[in-house]
């Protein structure tokens, strides 16, 4: 299809969609309330709909008081029944796909239901919206003159009992509309290869001669792929291979530890980075402005949002609030009700609102991935911001990291123990440690209080990891590729102790 025609179609869709987006920007609470009651009406004759009498729920207060907040362990039995072929349990249309969650590295897998509605009205709708917002902000874009290099998961789809499961990216690629297949590289056959290391070289071989204009994937794994591209071609810059490359759409993990490494291999100031916030459970937010890390919360994808203020999370006085009650710059755990049959489900992420009109957010961490062994409440956002600042001050670069407490023992005070794999190590590690400690104090008053005069916490202990430590650890645990992530912060020492042992070999 000629490029001018493609751009004209995109422009038409953009104008149509912008009007719909303006509706939820202007009336966010009304749109969310209407969506909630649409979901309740659709699911009123399901098993869960009858159990909680969805038909008689008249307002948000009824919904809040009647339905419990759940996590995966709570709903796992009903999901297993659904995976075995039972239908109409929590959603009326057939659930044919389950996204095998790879957001953590523990052995237990989660199987998140994916309905036709969530596939079309959430995940694919978001992909189109992302392009629309980007084109709206960049009218001279030549995105459609080439292809998008997508990097998905390394798991193929498995089928049983009439249902299929695999990485969300595999489900999306397997059901991808023609327009997305036409504009993407590598081929679906290569994208769905299960052997990660073989797949990486296959992607390199298939894409280096394409006209790639955009990149899409998780920053940590995309960086591995792009470095392989440079090694294979002998080039120093990706623009020597793909001169028309103009944007990288990224999500899944924080971009902060990687941004300088991307700038090294993409050395053009006008190159753009667009962040997304999605998961197996749904697509939640999109960067809607150039050069901004703020994400617009998308309110019409079939997802109803609720929030738990983190200062009440897990406590007797835990509060649950709708979008209409959120406040700026407070940390919230996210609860979702979706068009795939998740009802008041804790996704495990924490966010904070940086704007209320419109509702723009930043992802601040995970409800389970933080360190609070001594009341210091250290979250991933603190760690990422501190590492970014200290790396800049010390001209160092990070590949990966994790941290955990050193627990008090006898007269020994506690501390935080970090394992950091550097691409470019600092010349003076004690100086790096001192700066890192100081920056963490400036970012987190609870941490600063516990570190005051070493009363509770000693200074952080940082280990410099051998090359490829985290890669080898992920490989050992069969977690290479796609959406798999290194756990950044933990209240237990399970990850740190295993990594320290592996660091010796």
């Amino acid at each position: 299809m000629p490029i001018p025609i493609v751009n004209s179609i995109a422009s038409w869709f953009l104008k149509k969609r912008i009007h719909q987006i303006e509706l939820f920007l202007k009336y966010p609470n009304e749109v969310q309330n209407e969506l909630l009651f649409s979901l309740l009406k659709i699911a009123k004759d399901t098993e869960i709909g009858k159990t909680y009498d969805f038909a008689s729920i008249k307002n948000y207060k009824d919904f809040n008081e009647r339905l419990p907040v759940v996590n995966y362990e709570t709903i796992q039995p009903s999901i297993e029944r659904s995976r075995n072929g039972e239908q109409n349990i929590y959603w009326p249309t057939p659930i044919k796909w389950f996204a095998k969650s790879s957001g953590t590295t523990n052995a237990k897998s989660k199987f998140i239901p994916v309905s036709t509605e969530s596939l079309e009205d959430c995940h694919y709708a978001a992909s189109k919206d992302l392009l629309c917002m980007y084109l709206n902000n960049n009218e001279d874009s030549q995105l459609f003159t080439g292809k998008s290099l997508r990097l998905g998961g390394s798991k193929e789809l498995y089928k049983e009992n009439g249902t299929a499961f695999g990485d969300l990216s595999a489900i999306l690629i397997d059901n991808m509309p023609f327009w997305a297949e036409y504009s993407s590289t590598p081929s679906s056959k290569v994208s769905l290869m299960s052997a990660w290391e073989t797949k990486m070289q296959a992607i390199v071989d298939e894409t280096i001669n394409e006209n790639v204009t955009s990149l899409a994937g998780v920053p940590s794994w995309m960086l591995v792929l792009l470095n392989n591209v440079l090694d294979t071609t002998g080039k120093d810059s990706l623009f020597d291979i793909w001169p028309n490359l103009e944007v990288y759409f990224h999500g899944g993990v924080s971009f902060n530890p990687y941004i300088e490494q991307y700038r090294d291999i993409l050395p053009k100031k006008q190159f753009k980075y667009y962040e997304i916030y999605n998961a197996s459970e749904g697509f939640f937010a999109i960067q809607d402005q150039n050069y901004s890390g703020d994400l617009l919360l998308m309110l019409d994808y079939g997802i109803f949002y609720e929030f738990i203020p983190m200062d009440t999370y897990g406590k007797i006085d835990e509060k649950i609030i709708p979008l209409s009650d959120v406040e700026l710059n407070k940390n919230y755990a996210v609860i979702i009700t979706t068009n795939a049959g998740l009802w008041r489900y804790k996704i495990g992420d924490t966010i904070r609102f940086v704007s209320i009109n419109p509702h723009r957010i930043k992802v601040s961490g995970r409800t389970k991935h933080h360190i609070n062994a001594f009341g210091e409440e250290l979250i991933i956002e603190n760690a990422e911001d501190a590492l970014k600042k200290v790396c800049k001050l010390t001209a160092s670069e990070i590949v990966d990291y994790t941290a955990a407490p050193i627990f008090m023992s006898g007269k020994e005070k506690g501390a935080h123990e970090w394992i950091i794999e550097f691409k470019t190590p600092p010349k003076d590690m004690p100086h790096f440690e001192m700066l890192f400690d100081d920056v963490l104090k400036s970012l987190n008053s609870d941490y600063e209080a516990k570190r005051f005069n070493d009363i509770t916490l000693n200074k952080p202990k940082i280990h410099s990891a051998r090359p490829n430590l985290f890669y080898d650890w992920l490989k050992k645990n069969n977690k290479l590729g796609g959406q798999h992530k290194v756990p950044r912060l933990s209240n237990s020492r399970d990850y740190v102790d295993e990594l320290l042992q592996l660091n010796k070999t």
Side-chain angles (χ1 to χ4, degrees):
M1 189 181 293
I3 297 305
I5 296 176
V6 174
N7 281 332
S8 296
I9 293 171
S11 177
W12 172 83
F13 183 86
L14 170 65
K15 289 173 183 173
K16 180 182 176 184
R17 179 57 182 145
I18 288 295
H19 174 72
Q20 295 169 330
I21 291 172
E22 285 173 347
L23 187 66
F24 77 67
L25 292 179
K26 191 173 183 180
Y27 304 106
N29 303 319
E30 291 84 353
V31 166
Q32 277 280 282
N33 197 57
E34 183 179 333
L35 192 153
L36 171 63
F37 284 93
S38 172
L39 295 175
L40 289 167
K41 183 177 180 181
I42 291 169
K44 66 182 174 61
D45 293 323
T46 61
E47 185 177 298
I48 191 171
K50 291 176 179 176
T51 299
Y52 294 104
D53 194 10
F54 283 4
S56 71
I57 293 177
K58 302 301 182 188
N59 49 48
Y60 174 72
K61 184 173 182 288
D62 289 347
F63 176 75
N64 187 17
E65 291 175 350
R66 195 174 303 177
L67 270 73
V69 172
V70 300
N71 55 25
Y72 185 79
E73 287 69 28
T74 312
I75 61 174
Q76 185 182 14
S78 61
I79 286 179
E80 287 305 308
R81 287 169 54 203
S82 183
R83 287 187 63 213
N84 287 324
E86 285 190 58
Q87 298 294 343
N88 207 42
I89 300 172
Y90 41 77
W91 192 248
T93 60
I95 302 291
K96 295 182 286 185
W97 306 286
F98 293 85
K100 188 176 180 182
S101 175
S102 52
T104 60
T105 57
N106 47 11
K108 187 171 182 177
S109 296
K110 297 179 181 180
F111 295 90
I112 305 299
V114 179
S115 66
T116 301
E117 292 89 343
S118 64
L119 203 63
E120 295 293 337
D121 301 335
C122 182
H123 293 289
Y124 289 142
S127 298
K128 289 182 277 189
D129 280 353
L130 178 61
L131 293 175
C132 280
M133 290 177 183
Y134 177 76
L135 292 172
N136 189 47
N137 294 331
N138 303 279
E139 293 182 356
D140 59 347
S141 168
Q142 297 298 303
L143 207 60
F144 291 114
T145 62
K147 294 188 175 183
S148 173
L149 195 169
R150 61 175 187 230
L151 181 60
S154 57
K155 295 285 181 67
E156 58 192 33
L157 289 173
Y158 301 92
K159 297 182 180 180
E160 55 184 35
N161 304 313
T163 62
F165 68 91
D167 275 6
L168 174 67
S169 56
I171 295 171
L172 295 176
I173 290 168
D174 197 50
N175 293 279
M176 195 161 51
F178 78 92
W179 58 266
E181 175 68 31
Y182 171 80
S183 61
S184 300
T185 188
S187 63
S188 294
K189 179 181 178 182
V190 170
S191 293
L192 293 173
M193 288 174 67
S194 57
W196 175 252
E197 290 170 323
T198 305
K199 169 181 171 174
M200 285 296 259
Q201 192 58 48
I203 293 175
V204 172
D205 295 340
E206 195 167 295
T207 59
I208 55 176
N209 294 315
E210 292 277 13
N211 177 25
V212 174
T213 54
S214 66
L215 308 169
V218 175
S220 51
W221 295 113
M222 180 62 78
L223 191 60
V224 174
L225 171 64
L226 297 179
N227 282 323
N228 281 348
V229 168
L230 293 174
D231 289 343
T232 299
T233 59
K235 305 293 185 182
D236 295 320
S237 164
L238 291 172
F239 297 121
D240 294 333
I241 305 157
W242 302 310
N244 299 314
L245 197 56
E246 61 179 79
V247 61
Y248 172 31
F249 301 109
H250 63 88
V253 299
S254 170
F255 197 43
N256 278 347
Y258 307 103
I259 189 164
E260 295 304 324
Q261 294 175 66
Y262 274 90
R263 286 172 177 162
D264 287 343
I265 59 177
L266 291 161
K268 282 185 182 178
K269 285 187 177 180
Q270 65 267 38
F271 186 81
K272 296 178 178 67
Y273 300 92
Y274 262 60
E275 186 172 354
I276 62 174
Y277 173 30
N278 68 332
S280 299
E281 295 87 352
F283 208 118
F284 310 127
I286 297 173
Q287 179 181 329
D288 65 323
Q289 305 168 98
N290 286 340
Y291 312 113
S292 169
D294 301 341
L295 306 177
L296 182 68
L297 191 63
M298 305 302 288
L299 303 180
D300 62 352
Y301 286 169
I303 301 173
F304 178 74
Y305 293 98
E306 296 175 275
F307 306 91
I308 302 175
M310 283 304 290
D311 56 5
T312 73
Y313 186 85
K315 299 177 182 176
I316 297 174
D317 62 343
E318 181 175 273
K319 291 170 57 181
I320 302 165
I321 60 173
L323 185 69
S324 57
D325 292 347
V326 298
E327 300 174 28
L328 285 174
N329 298 315
K330 288 189 69 172
N331 266 335
Y332 294 102
V334 182
I335 300 171
I336 57 171
T337 293
T338 78
N339 55 3
L342 295 175
W343 298 93
R344 306 197 86 191
Y345 178 82
K346 293 180 182 179
I347 62 173
D349 289 344
T350 62
I351 59 103
R352 59 184 175 86
F353 286 88
V354 294
S355 168
I356 299 293
N357 184 24
H359 288 92
R360 289 199 178 99
I361 64 170
K362 283 186 179 290
V363 181
S364 54
R366 300 276 297 169
T367 54
K368 291 183 179 178
H369 290 188
H370 64 282
I371 302 179
N372 191 31
F374 313 100
E376 66 274 43
E377 290 288 356
L378 186 70
I379 61 173
I380 291 175
E381 188 179 28
N382 300 151
E384 302 283 8
D385 289 347
L387 286 169
K388 181 181 178 182
K389 186 170 183 178
V390 176
C391 281
K392 191 171 183 179
L393 291 170
T394 59
S396 53
E397 290 180 314
I398 284 176
V399 176
D400 256 317
Y401 74 90
T402 194
I406 298 173
F407 293 104
M408 295 178 180
S409 176
K411 293 182 179 180
E412 288 295 314
K413 296 168 187 171
H416 292 172
E417 190 162 20
W418 298 74
I419 305 175
I420 302 177
E421 183 180 335
F422 292 95
K423 181 185 178 185
T424 306
K427 291 184 173 66
D428 185 343
M429 182 59 81
H431 182 60
F432 182 97
E433 289 179 347
M434 182 194 72
L435 286 175
F436 184 52
D437 187 34
D438 287 344
V439 174
L440 281 179
K441 290 175 187 175
S442 72
L443 293 171
N444 184 318
S445 58
D446 290 322
Y447 177 84
E448 182 182 33
K450 301 302 180 289
R451 282 283 295 119
F452 181 71
N453 287 339
D454 297 345
I455 291 172
T456 304
L457 282 178
N458 284 324
K459 67 179 183 178
K461 182 178 182 180
I462 300 179
H463 302 272
S464 186
R466 64 168 173 78
N468 296 318
L469 173 67
F470 289 96
Y471 185 93
D472 292 344
W473 181 69
L474 288 166
K475 184 176 181 178
K476 177 186 172 188
N477 287 283
N478 194 28
K479 298 290 183 181
L480 284 181
Q483 298 164 307
H484 295 296
K485 307 160 193 173
V486 172
R488 300 303 198 192
L489 307 178
S490 176
N491 264 333
S492 84
R493 292 190 54 84
D494 295 346
Y495 302 128
V496 160
D497 286 339
E498 189 179 346
L499 280 158
L500 285 172
Q501 188 62 38
L502 192 61
N503 199 39
K504 297 175 183 177
T505 59

